[in-house]
Amino acid sequence: MAQWDRLRQLPAVYRQQLHELYDRDALPMDVRHYLSVWIEKQEWQRAARDHDFAVVLLQVLLENLDIQHSRFVQEESFLLQHNIRRYKQNFQRYLEEPCALASTILWFLEKEKEILQSADLAEQVQFLQVEQEAMETSSQQDLERKMAGLRNEVQCMEHTMICLEEQQDEFDFKYQTHKMEAVVDEALKKNQVKNLQLLVNRLNDCRKSTLLDLNKLLDRTEDLIDILVKKELVEWQRRQQKACIGAPDDVCLDQLEKWFTCVAVCLFQVREFLSKLEELIGKVSYDNDPVKSQKPALQKRADNLLRDLLKSSFVVETQPSMPQGKGPLVLRTNVQFSVKTRLLVKFPELNHSMKVSVSMERYRRFNVLGTKTKALNMAESQSGGMVADFRHLTLKEQKSGGGSKGASDIPLTVTEELHVIFFDTVFELKGLSVQLQASSLPVVIISNSSQQQSAWASVLWFNMLSQDTKDVMFFANSPAATWPQFGEMLSWQFLSATKRGLNDDQLEMISFCESNMISGNTLENTPDTFWAWFDGILVMVKTYLEDLWRDGLIMGFVSKGKEKSLLKKKQRGTFLLRFSESVIGGITFSWVDTTATGEPDVKTVQPFTKVDLTQIPFHEIIRNFQILEAENIPENPLLYLYPNTPKDEAFGKYYSDRSGGKSTKCFCRYFLLVTYVILNTLEAKSPMSSDMVQGEGLESLNDLCGEAAGESWLSLLSHPAKNPFQTNRSPFITELCGEDAVWIVEVMRQLPNC
């Protein structure tokens, strides 16, 4: 980047140093600014000691000031005309000592470098103090500097084109005058021809220099397009993929839009420069004119770069999603969905003029219904971007027989079929017309809500592993995932739903694969799939336990073996909350007690599900849980939340009142005591599975309780007609609990009286 451009972009403290440097008349800042490109290209060090060379530079400097003065005359900038005229008069005093002027300009340039070095050093020190996020910011700052450099080069090219036109007009005027004059004196005529030849040579050199600068400008533009299209846009697309499955990634397009628009504006200006060159050679041309030979290639290159940029600038900003879906990219036939597209090249004059149409691949069996054509406009975007927001689209399955399911004969289930939705528009501006197409991430289309969970699993798997956003046959040969990939994705699900992800210990419990690789088949080939179990927990936490989970009170994912290992090392009354391993959407708690011999004994209750949590908040269950200890005295065994937080300190802020409502307390005691007594009675009297011993199963209870076990214990106990512990159901108790029945029934009678 040019030295002057870098100085102009420095922080305020360094720009103040620059103002102080130029607070003198030796080299006015106006001259430094308007002639910055020319000044930085000259060999002032040589001119400071070479008188003849210094004379040449001084003459060119005065000519450049004349050209600048002419420009301000045309622009009717009265004050700038006055200043430039005064500066020229001041510089003319160096005609006798041109080396002094060269030394002066050289001194200013060296002082500028000192300011830049100070700023660079400060930036390097700051860079060493930042982490990865700051490094990304630094990368963006570097791109911003490149964009500013591009804009400055375009501005310099504007000035160059004006100078070139003025130079050509000067030659043309003198040439036409020469042709009109009938000069008899051969010596004078020869001298005029010589001067005209010098002018045409100078014009030719200027044209060559202009073409060279245009080539360099296109080089810079091409480098920026590579960064935008192959790096920044690709990274945004990957962030969007991850954000669709819960990752907390930034997918805002405002910065990309700013960069894309900047480059597009500059390229359109380059096309205007080329048109100006065409106009100039239409007035004055000559043999071996460099513009005639080089302009076609420059024109083609500029147009191709602009087309490449425009084709990449049309994107899907918000992926297809249903209002009540589990997440984006799962669509159901005959149910409305929305999707938003955006053009990253923002030209206000195109507002409402570009029409976007929606379609799907022809070999699929779905039709898109609804308003399928919308105009790109700035009214439907909060940031003022050029968007087309489709809010009421639906998919209808084609009923005609014989249609092919896809481009491949490989059989795939409905929830593994991937479909792509396309969006087409035409960009037309200043004589350029380009067809643009954007495509959605692959979507899964279902016809029944029962397929939604499996479809969402496919969306998770695809976007976790694939960066080829058009690979609709991904599941024909689905790759395996590494555990770090899979675990991170699971954590995203909790993070997006509850604002708290999974820690390493929780992920370790979920890890069910001995190897580091996990395949999709491993997750699906079980009676109750992993996805059903995991989703059941996620829904339960989001619906009933979000605050407790967010505050870190639920350990959640911990195996029964790990649970025992943790609790046996703790004091009596320490408890933890974990998700059930065998009951989908269930949560339980375990606590440590002591046996008669003083050994630690871990006890667990039957898991609570949504039926229970709908009627009693979980924190109230924990608060009022009681068991009968010695002498039939009720006692709450839950004293310290693992590792050692007093229960009321951990859960107190959730209590509905300080003392606990009488009805809630009685009901909780009633329900929880019954549950605990029955489970312990069954454990003592029946051969049970390992799950049941831990309170995780209902198999034996089903056998003993018949139809009653088919319903939640909470719902049974809350309806007197169904309550097996009412007096008229005592035969049920006797059959279930034997000699303990009288004691249990007596306890049940006393509980409602509290």
Side-chain angles (χ1 to χ4, degrees), residues 431-448:
L432 184 72
S433 179
V434 185
Q435 296 278 344
L436 308 181
Q437 184 178 82
S439 57
S440 71
L441 290 172
V443 300
V444 178
I445 302 175
I446 60 176
S447 57
N448 192 291

Side-chain angles (χ1 to χ4, degrees), residues 490-500 534 538 549 557:
L490 294 181
S491 181
W492 290 340
Q493 306 313 296
F494 270 83
L495 184 63
S496 63
T498 68
K499 305 297 185 279
R500 182 185 178 94
F534 185 82
L538 187 60
W549 172 261
F557 294 102

Side-chain angles (χ1 to χ4, degrees), residues 585-628:
I587 186 170
T588 184
F589 50 79
S590 302
W591 69 95
V592 62
D593 204 343
T594 54
T595 64
T597 60
E599 297 294 321
D601 182 26
V602 176
K603 299 177 184 269
T604 303
V605 297
Q606 175 187 346
F608 305 95
T609 64
K610 66 178 182 180
V611 177
D612 311 318
L613 300 176
T614 300
Q615 301 188 51
I616 306 177
F618 195 50
H619 58 268
E620 292 295 339
I621 292 176
I622 295 170
R623 180 187 187 185
N624 295 295
F625 178 73
Q626 292 186 351
I627 60 174
L628 294 180

Side-chain angles (χ1 to χ4, degrees), residues 276-291:
K276 187 64 176 179
L277 286 178
E278 185 71 26
E279 177 187 330
L280 292 179
I281 64 173
K283 296 178 180 178
V284 174
S285 188
Y286 43 85
D287 293 338
N288 300 320
D289 187 340
V291 175

Side-chain angles (χ1 to χ4, degrees), residues 4 47 81 110 198 202 232 258 324 469 492 570 628 695 741:
W4 186 250
Q81 293 176 47
E110 292 299 326
L198 288 173
R202 183 178 167 191
E232 297 294 336
K258 177 182 174 183
Q324 303 301 323
T469 58
W492 290 340
K570 295 297 179 180
L628 294 180

Side-chain angles (χ1 to χ4, degrees), residues 130-155:
V130 299
E131 299 294 336
Q132 182 64 32
E133 291 183 4
M135 291 175 65
E136 293 176 1
T137 302
S138 176
S139 175
Q140 290 188 351
Q141 289 175 348
D142 182 58
L143 188 51
E144 283 283 2
R145 285 194 290 267
K146 290 180 178 179
M147 290 289 172
L150 177 64
R151 289 192 295 267
N152 184 70
E153 282 199 19
V154 171
Q155 291 175 358

Side-chain angles (χ1 to χ4, degrees), residues 328-339:
L329 304 174
V330 175
L331 305 180
R332 183 177 170 184
T333 53
N334 302 315
V335 175
Q336 286 188 348
F337 67 93
S338 61
V339 60

Side-chain angles (χ1 to χ4, degrees), residues 498-537:
T498 68
K499 305 297 185 279
R500 182 185 178 94
L502 305 179
N503 60 36
D504 291 340
D505 291 335
Q506 292 164 334
L507 289 172
E508 182 181 358
M509 180 268 171
I510 301 176
S511 180
F512 50 83
C513 217
E514 293 183 1
S515 69
N516 192 41
M517 303 303 292
I518 302 169
S519 69
N521 292 333
T522 302
L523 302 176
E524 293 293 341
N525 294 335
T526 55
D528 292 320
T529 70
F530 169 84
W531 296 117
W533 173 76
F534 185 82
D535 190 59
I537 292 172

